[in-house]
Amino acid sequence: MDAEQVELARMIRDADRIVLFTGAGISTESGIPDFRSPGGVWTKQRPIDFSDFMRSDAARRESWRRRFEMEETWRMATPNRGHRAVAELIRSGKASCVITQNIDGLHQDSGIPDSKVIELHGNTTYAHCLDCGTRYEIEALRVDFEQDGIVPHCACGGWVKTATISFGQSMPVEAMRLAERETLMADLFISLGSSLVVYPAAGFPELAKRNGARLAIVNLQPTGLDEIADLVLNQPIGETMGAAVGVD
Ligand code: ZN
């Protein structure tokens, strides 16, 4: 371990209740592209706004076309060493939960129970009806779409959408409430792979710090909150967290 990793390991050892916070950077190490990054999908193709999805059949069709186009990427991705380190901190009781901006479900795939994964932007690995909430599996929807051109919709008449929070869609109330509660109980807040510039998500590390917790940031690039952090590591997440937590 280098000196910074040793310091991170020491902060983890000294903490009683850690909250982990993850962004795109932890999942790029599993081959999932960072949509917001320079050259990322969203710089070439404007994201579809929630109001457009609700209003326009063409927007719904395009939204689903893009989702199915990405299916191979989502389906093939598996948790990496960074996810395993997060899972170990939660399994051992050191950390209470992980708050994530990611929609890939890789924290659950790494063995963390749903109840300890707080998804601020939802989850793209399944879909649900926006009216009645019925859950739908992506694969069945894809077959209908590709074979018969059917845009996913529910028996109740509602539109079916991936369980993600789109631009223009309100933040999930329960997830936001839980994330705030956990943040206020933490004595160490570790942000992994988030540029910490997207609000309200980036408000949680700030809240933790104001509330007296220590703040550690691991991200390849500088972030919006480096100035208030106790420790900043511009290193890969898997390698850094793996070493600090002691998992392969
Ligand atoms: Zn429905």
Side-chain angles (χ1 to χ4, degrees):
M1 280 198 281
D2 64 26
E4 288 175 314
Q5 290 168 353
V6 168
E7 175 60 14
L8 179 61
R10 201 184 56 75
M11 287 171 79
I12 290 171
R13 196 179 60 235
D14 292 347
D16 288 321
R17 192 178 175 107
I18 301 169
V19 164
L20 298 141
F21 180 88
T22 60
I26 193 171
S27 290
T28 53
E29 294 178 25
S30 287
I32 292 173
D34 178 358
F35 291 86
R36 294 176 197 273
S37 70
V41 174
W42 286 343
T43 61
K44 298 170 192 153
Q45 177 175 83
R46 208 169 57 84
I48 293 165
D49 197 84
F50 184 64
S51 61
D52 292 334
F53 184 94
M54 294 305 286
R55 193 170 46 218
S56 154
D57 194 48
R60 281 188 292 276
R61 184 172 292 277
E62 173 62 9
S63 170
W64 275 108
R65 189 194 64 74
R66 292 181 188 179
R67 174 60 187 79
F68 294 135
E69 190 176 76
M70 282 286 294
E71 175 56 10
E72 189 74 358
T73 302
W74 296 120
R75 201 165 46 78
M76 297 303 286
T78 55
N80 63 60
R81 197 178 174 196
H83 293 104
R84 290 192 289 278
V86 168
E88 173 55 22
L89 287 172
I90 291 174
R91 191 203 58 78
S92 67
K94 261 291 188 188
S96 62
C97 68
V98 54
I99 301 169
T100 188
Q101 296 174 287
N102 298 336
I103 57 175
D104 51 44
L106 290 180
H107 287 303
Q108 290 91 333
D109 288 350
S110 73
I112 304 173
D114 271 328
S115 62
K116 299 195 176 214
V117 181
I118 301 173
E119 295 174 320
L120 298 179
H121 297 160
N123 190 312
T124 197
T125 65
Y126 61 96
H128 59 188
C129 170
L130 292 171
D131 285 352
C132 73
T134 298
R135 175 174 166 140
Y136 289 85
E137 302 309 320
I138 300 293
E139 184 54 22
L141 300 175
R142 189 181 67 78
V143 169
D144 286 350
F145 185 84
E146 288 179 359
Q147 288 183 356
D148 304 317
I150 298 170
V151 174
H153 59 276
C154 184
C156 82
W159 298 117
V160 172
K161 182 179 166 296
T162 56
T164 50
I165 306 299
S166 295
F167 283 91
Q169 194 171 2
S170 54
M171 293 295 284
V173 174
E174 180 63 7
M176 291 294 287
R177 192 187 64 77
L178 277 174
E180 181 176 334
R181 194 189 73 180
E182 290 294 337
T183 297
L184 289 172
M185 287 193 288
D187 61 354
L188 173 59
F189 193 102
I190 306 177
S191 176
L192 304 170
S194 172
S195 54
L196 300 176
V197 291
V198 179
Y199 282 81
F204 293 110
E206 273 183 332
L207 178 64
K209 188 65 192 163
R210 269 209 313 277
N211 193 48
R214 304 190 80 195
L215 173 61
I217 294 173
V218 185
N219 197 53
L220 282 178
Q221 288 86 28
T223 79
L225 296 179
D226 287 357
E227 277 183 21
I228 66 166
D230 297 278
L231 180 67
V232 178
L233 287 84
N234 295 126
Q235 297 181 359
I237 292 154
E239 180 189 321
T240 304
M241 286 297 286
V245 177
V247 303
D248 292 324

